[in-house]
Amino acid sequence: MPDSSADPLRPVLAVAIGDPAGIGPELAAKVAADPEIRSAARLLIVGDARVLERGAAQAGLSLDVEVRRPGQDPTPGERPVLLDLGHLDPDGITLGEVQREGGAFALRNFREAIGLAASGVAGAVCFTPFNKAAMRLAHPPYDDEIGFTAEVLGLADVPAKEFNILEGLWNARITSHVPLSAVASLITYDAVLEGLRLTDRSLKDSGFPAPRIAVAGLNPHAGDGGNFGHEDDAIIAPAVAAGRREGIDAQGPFPPDTVFLRATKGAFDAVLTMYHDQGQIAMKLIGFDRGVTLLGGFPFPICTPAHGSAYDIAGQGIANPGASRAALLLAARMAGRGAVRQAA
């Protein structure tokens, strides 16, 4: 039976251990031992006990988790629970190398964590860094976490988007993992307006009462009045105006080469960009090792550090847990707000 002494409004986070050849196991051990995270949420770690133990050894930590097996009640109490799937011997993994076995391990953990959230056991999903090349070796159709989550949940069409977050500044985008040559054709009035709606809703869910959103233009100088393209005036500006009529505090389109300067000085809470690198380059320059990625638009939040699996330092015990810590605290805050709403 679940631990009745655990605060029902302190959310459960399902934390999938990421690529075992990288820093994922080390980071999983570090966040499991973090007192602030443990006070903010009840942790349900998904993976293999042997992999987590190796991560703890790399981090120089002693594990303080309860081990449960599939079929047992996974609901954590005061101590974190490790749902031990028993599916990978870490001695068969070479640190710092892309391997099919590592990708299969991460995918199984992620699928299980999504299922735990979908069934109501967890209020949010988090994961330590994946390696997409390894995941594609294990599952060739794998594109990204949004597509995989939609596949697991059986959602044919979901308006989910990826957000990058750094110390209160959010970056959302209209297009993501598509060729640059395809971006302009995907910038439509409906896409921009839906992006504004999802950004506004996600910011409010995370605790912003009245989020301020800047919208970046597509073209240099936001089109310069039509001199460098017409998408900014003909598509983006009307969508921003429609969002404002709905009560969204949005402005733009602004020249994309200066909008982040204004945002970092406090003029905006979020920047909605038109394509992947338009925002990613800026955010990673601002703080590569502190950023968080949120998948918004699903029935529950999904959070992860914005950096990768860091094969170059795997096994050395020096992985910075700052971004993972921030990801779990954001997930706890968002899931907790959802729990409060459901209990009201």
Side-chain angles (χ1 to χ4, degrees):
M1 294 294 291
D3 183 353
S4 60
S5 68
D7 181 356
L9 295 185
R10 189 158 63 92
V12 174
L13 306 183
V15 183
I17 302 176
D19 192 295
I23 59 174
E26 177 188 341
L27 290 175
K30 286 180 175 178
V31 297
D34 189 296
E36 185 175 359
I37 292 173
R38 290 175 61 156
S39 69
R42 291 173 285 154
L43 300 183
L44 173 50
I45 302 167
V46 182
D48 187 296
R50 296 165 293 180
V51 174
L52 185 61
E53 286 167 0
R54 185 166 82 168
Q58 293 166 351
L61 296 169
S62 296
L63 286 176
D64 178 28
V65 299
E66 297 180 40
V67 178
R68 310 266 174 87
R69 300 292 194 281
Q72 297 179 316
D73 179 11
T75 308
E78 292 306 306
R79 295 172 63 204
V81 162
L82 168 66
L83 181 59
D84 182 10
L85 302 181
H87 56 318
L88 183 72
D89 181 351
D91 290 340
I93 290 292
T94 302
L95 291 177
E97 291 186 9
V98 173
Q99 292 145 95
R100 187 196 64 79
E101 294 81 3
F105 172 81
L107 282 167
R108 171 81 185 279
N109 298 341
F110 191 33
R111 181 184 294 275
E112 189 75 22
I114 292 168
L116 289 165
S119 67
V121 173
V125 170
C126 299
F127 57 91
T128 58
F130 293 155
N131 183 284
K132 289 184 174 61
M135 296 166 95
R136 290 188 184 107
L137 286 177
H139 182 58
Y142 185 86
D143 183 21
D144 58 21
E145 287 77 271
I146 289 178
F148 184 78
T149 302
E151 174 188 320
V152 172
L153 294 175
L155 300 175
D157 185 22
V158 60
K161 296 288 184 182
E162 187 174 297
F163 297 87
N164 290 103
I165 303 158
L166 180 63
E167 296 165 358
L169 176 61
W170 287 47
N171 170 223
R173 52 185 182 258
I174 301 303
T175 67
S176 188
H177 298 120
V178 300
L180 190 59
S181 60
V183 168
S185 65
L186 297 173
I187 303 301
T188 65
Y189 173 91
D190 289 340
V192 176
L193 181 55
E194 183 55 40
L196 278 171
R197 291 168 176 159
L198 179 58
T199 302
D200 183 67
R201 184 166 66 250
S202 297
L203 281 158
K204 288 176 177 174
D205 284 346
S206 76
F208 287 84
R212 303 161 299 159
I213 304 170
V215 180
L218 172 65
N219 297 297
H221 305 293
D224 190 35
N227 289 324
F228 308 134
H230 298 283
E231 293 88 353
D232 301 276
D233 292 337
I235 297 171
I236 301 173
V240 172
R244 291 182 64 83
R245 289 193 295 272
E246 294 181 6
I248 299 172
D249 185 357
Q251 298 182 46
F254 294 111
D257 59 349
T258 57
V259 66
F260 277 93
L261 294 175
R262 297 181 61 183
T264 56
K265 293 178 180 178
F268 304 104
D269 302 306
V271 179
L272 177 61
T273 51
M274 296 299 114
Y275 57 91
H276 186 278
D277 287 357
Q278 195 178 44
Q280 283 281 74
I281 291 172
M283 295 293 282
K284 290 187 176 181
L285 281 171
I286 294 167
F288 176 75
D289 60 351
R290 304 189 306 279
V292 172
T293 297
L294 162 71
L295 307 186
F298 289 111
F300 44 83
I302 302 175
C303 297
T304 187
H307 60 71
S309 48
Y311 280 175
D312 58 322
I313 61 169
Q316 298 179 33
I318 59 174
N320 186 335
S324 294
R325 184 173 180 275
L328 267 70
L329 291 174
L330 173 64
R333 189 162 66 247
M334 296 184 75
R337 289 173 64 85
V340 169
R341 283 195 298 270
Q342 291 171 11

